[in-house]
Amino acid sequence: MDVRDETITKHEQLVQHIEGLKVGTKISVRRLAKELAVSEGTAYRAVKEAEGLGIVVTKERIGTVRIERKPRNISEQLTFADVVEIVEGHVLGGAEGLNKSLHKYVIGAMKVEAMVRYIDAGSLMIVGNREDAHSLALEQGAGVLITGGFGTSREVKQQADRLGLPIFSSRHDTFTVASLINRAIFDRLIKKKIMLVEDIAGEKPRIHALKNSVTALELKEIANKTGDQRFPVTDEWNRVIGIVGVRDVGDLADHQAIERAITRNPVTANLKTSLASAAQIMMWEGIDFLPIVDRNRKLVATVTRKEVLEALRNARNQPQLGETFDQLIWNGMAEDRDEDGKLFFHGFITPQMATELGTISQGVLTTVMSQAAFKAAKDICGGDHVLDNLSTYFIRPVQIEDPITITPRLLEMSRRTCKMEIEINHHSNLIAKSVMTLHAIDQG
C-alpha cells in the first residue's frame, strides 16, 4: 500500500507529475488539467510552483518546458555581464559576449606593442580612451573596459559586434574599477565556501510528507519502508503544520490518526539558510529534524542534524577560499603553548584593527577573544562551538604596533558547553578580559 500517494493533494500530485516528465517536454496547463482531472486553475498553480522549484521554465514563443533542476553553483569566475554591473558600466558593443567568463584582467598602462604579451583570450583589458588598445585587445580575444566614461569609435564597436566580444565604458577611474572587480572576486570566493541548506537538500530523494489523517499503523509502515523516523506533516496546500515521529505515536492504537501526536508549529528553515545556522538552530531548539520551507511556508525539503553536521565536516576538509573579516583580523596572531602544553596566542595590533584615534577597536578586541576561545575550546573539547553569552571588560587602551598575548583558560566543561576565561595582555598589563560560554555544535 502506497500511503504517500493516497494522502497527498491534487496540487502535490501535479507537481510530482511535472517533476516526473522527461527534460525538454512541453507543458500545457490545459493538457495537465485534462490528464489529471483537475481545474485549469489548479494546474496553473502547480506549474507556477514548478517554476519556483526550478524544474520548468517559460520561454517566449516556445512555451513552458520541463528543464533539469540546476544545483547552486557559485563560480569563482565573473562573467563580463557581472563586471558591467559591478562597475556601473554601459555596453558599447559586442553584447553577445557578455555571458563569457572573465579569466583575468589587464591594466593597459603601457605602450600598445608591449600589451600583446599580457593579453589572452577571455581576459579583460582595462584602459582609457585609446582606440588602438581597444582594437588590439579585441583582436587578441579579450573584452575591453574603458574607464573615465570615455567611448570608442564606430569601427571598434563594429569589430566588437563581429567578434562577439564586449566593449563597455565606466565613469570610474582605473584604480576604482580594479578595486571593485577585486572585491567582487573576493566575495565570490567567500560565498563559494559557505554551504547552504540547498547544497544538501537537492541530493535527497523525494520527501515523505504526511497528512494528519494518516493512521499510526500507516506511519509505521512508511517508516519501515523509507528508514526515516520523523516526518513533516502538511495541510492541503503543502504548508507545514507540524512534525511527527515513530516514537510520538507509540501510545496510539494502530487505527488512530496521528493528529493527536503531531508537534505543532515546528521550527523551520529555508533553502538559503547556511548549514552552520541550521546546525545552530537545531542545537538551540534541541531538535534533530528540520523541515525546509519556501516563503509561503510550503514544504520543499527536510534535513536531519546528522546530515547537516556531516556536510559541515566535509566542508571543513575543502580548500579554504577567500577570507572573512574575522579571518583577516586573526591572521596576525600566532599560536603557541606554555610549559604545561596549554594553548595561547600572540601578535601585534595592525593599523586595520585601530579606530580613528589610533587605539584598538573594542569590536576587534571582542573578535580576537572570541576566536581565541573557539580555537582553545576545539583544542580541549574537540569539535566546533558557537557563542552562547559573553561578558567583556575593557581595562586599558592598546595602540597600533603594540604586541599582545591572548590567554584562554577553561573554567567549566560539560558534554554540551564549556566556559572560558580570556585575557589579553600587553607586556604585563591587562588590556581586556572576558568570560564566555560556548555551546558545541555537534553535540546533542
Side-chain angles (χ1 to χ4, degrees):
M1 177 177 66
D2 193 344
V3 178
R4 165 68 176 158
D5 289 340
E6 292 177 358
T7 58
I8 64 175
T9 64
K10 288 289 186 181
H11 177 83
E12 292 173 273
Q13 289 179 24
L14 277 165
V15 174
Q16 290 181 11
H17 175 77
I18 294 170
E19 191 172 4
L21 294 175
K22 185 179 179 181
V23 173
T25 302
K26 291 186 177 181
I27 299 170
S28 163
V29 169
R30 182 173 297 177
R31 186 164 58 247
L32 275 178
K34 185 177 180 180
E35 288 177 357
L36 277 79
V38 298
S39 68
E40 291 188 10
T42 301
Y44 176 78
R45 287 193 295 271
V47 170
K48 298 309 288 183
E49 179 161 334
E51 282 187 7
L53 294 172
I55 60 176
V56 303
V57 65
T58 301
K59 299 181 179 180
E60 189 177 355
R61 295 191 299 275
I62 295 177
T64 303
V65 181
R66 171 74 167 92
I67 62 171
E68 189 71 49
R69 189 201 302 262
K70 294 182 179 180
R72 184 179 76 106
N73 182 21
I74 299 174
S75 172
E76 297 173 25
Q77 295 178 332
L78 300 170
T79 64
F80 289 110
D82 292 329
V83 178
V84 172
E85 185 176 349
I86 291 164
V87 302
E88 300 173 343
H90 63 277
V91 179
L92 304 175
E96 289 183 2
L98 287 172
N99 291 327
K100 294 180 179 178
S101 295
L102 167 67
H103 300 296
K104 70 173 185 178
Y105 65 83
V106 180
I107 296 176
M110 60 192 83
K111 292 182 178 180
V112 173
E113 54 269 23
M115 292 182 186
V116 178
R117 59 184 294 190
Y118 297 101
I119 306 174
D120 300 322
S123 60
L124 176 68
M125 169 64 73
I126 301 176
V127 69
N129 56 339
R130 299 174 58 186
E131 292 181 11
D132 52 351
H134 304 166
S135 182
L136 174 66
L138 292 170
E139 288 174 4
Q140 300 298 317
V144 180
L145 167 54
I146 306 172
T147 58
F150 295 108
T152 191
S153 68
R154 183 177 181 181
E155 291 74 22
V156 172
K157 294 178 184 177
Q158 292 174 343
Q159 181 185 11
D161 289 334
R162 185 175 67 255
L163 296 173
L165 293 168
I167 182 167
F168 49 99
S169 175
S170 171
R171 60 184 174 81
H172 300 297
D173 58 42
T174 300
F175 176 80
T176 301
V177 298
S179 300
L180 290 170
I181 295 171
N182 273 336
R183 180 73 255 176
I185 294 172
F186 189 83
D187 289 346
R188 282 284 179 106
L189 294 174
I190 293 175
K191 287 181 179 179
K192 187 176 178 68
K193 182 175 65 174
I194 297 173
M195 290 192 69
L196 306 181
V197 166
E198 67 178 312
D199 291 324
I200 62 171
E203 301 172 357
K204 299 186 67 177
R206 180 179 294 178
I207 308 166
H208 298 281
L210 306 178
K211 299 299 182 230
N212 56 18
S213 58
V214 168
T215 66
L217 177 60
E218 289 171 335
L219 183 150
K220 293 172 185 175
E221 289 175 347
I222 296 172
N224 289 333
K225 181 180 177 180
T226 64
D228 296 334
Q229 296 298 303
R230 297 187 71 76
F231 303 90
V233 182
T234 57
D235 63 12
E236 59 181 329
W237 299 107
N238 197 36
R239 293 175 299 201
V240 175
I241 59 173
I243 56 175
V244 66
V246 175
R247 292 183 180 179
D248 300 327
V249 300
D251 295 333
L252 298 182
D254 286 347
H255 68 278
Q256 288 183 297
I258 62 172
E259 185 174 10
R260 294 173 52 189
I262 294 172
T263 301
R264 302 281 178 176
N265 301 316
V267 178
T268 61
N270 61 61
L271 290 172
K272 299 300 181 183
T273 301
S274 71
L275 288 186
S277 295
Q280 191 168 353
I281 289 169
M282 293 186 187
M283 177 195 70
W284 289 124
E285 300 293 338
I287 56 178
D288 58 7
F289 179 83
L290 196 60
I292 308 302
V293 300
D294 64 13
R295 59 185 177 183
N296 297 316
R297 203 170 173 77
K298 291 186 177 182
L299 180 69
V300 295
T302 62
V303 294
T304 65
R305 186 168 181 168
K306 180 180 179 181
E307 291 166 344
V308 170
L309 295 177
E310 183 177 345
L312 283 174
R313 283 192 288 268
N314 291 338
R316 286 197 294 268
N317 294 330
Q318 300 300 315
Q320 297 299 298
L321 305 172
E323 291 178 311
T324 62
F325 284 122
D326 282 0
Q327 291 167 331
L328 288 170
I329 290 170
W330 187 256
N331 276 346
M333 300 299 156
E335 180 180 305
D336 212 336
R337 293 186 184 273
D338 61 19
E339 296 176 353
D340 298 324
K342 294 180 179 179
L343 202 62
F344 72 95
F345 309 92
H346 53 87
F348 291 86
I349 303 303
T350 63
Q352 290 80 12
M353 295 180 177
T355 66
E356 66 276 8
L357 301 178
T359 58
I360 190 171
S361 160
Q362 293 179 348
V364 169
L365 270 180
T366 301
T367 297
V368 167
M369 289 189 284
S370 299
Q371 290 295 315
F374 294 147
K375 293 180 183 299
K378 188 168 186 176
D379 183 64
I380 297 169
C381 312
D384 291 315
H385 294 71
V386 292
L387 187 63
D388 193 343
N389 59 63
L390 165 69
S391 298
T392 303
Y393 307 91
F394 300 105
I395 300 167
R396 286 189 175 87
V398 59
Q399 60 188 23
I400 295 173
E401 297 183 355
D402 278 350
I404 60 171
T405 302
I406 309 108
T407 307
R409 297 185 182 89
L410 180 65
L411 300 179
E412 295 177 4
M413 182 177 68
S414 69
R415 187 171 65 89
R416 296 187 180 187
T417 64
C418 66
K419 184 176 287 188
M420 307 284 297
E421 179 185 74
I422 312 293
E423 286 188 0
I424 296 183
N425 288 276
H426 168 51
H427 298 310
S428 58
N429 296 321
L430 182 63
I431 300 302
K433 185 174 183 177
S434 68
V435 176
M436 304 182 187
T437 301
L438 309 179
H439 204 129
I441 289 180
D442 43 6
Q443 294 294 326

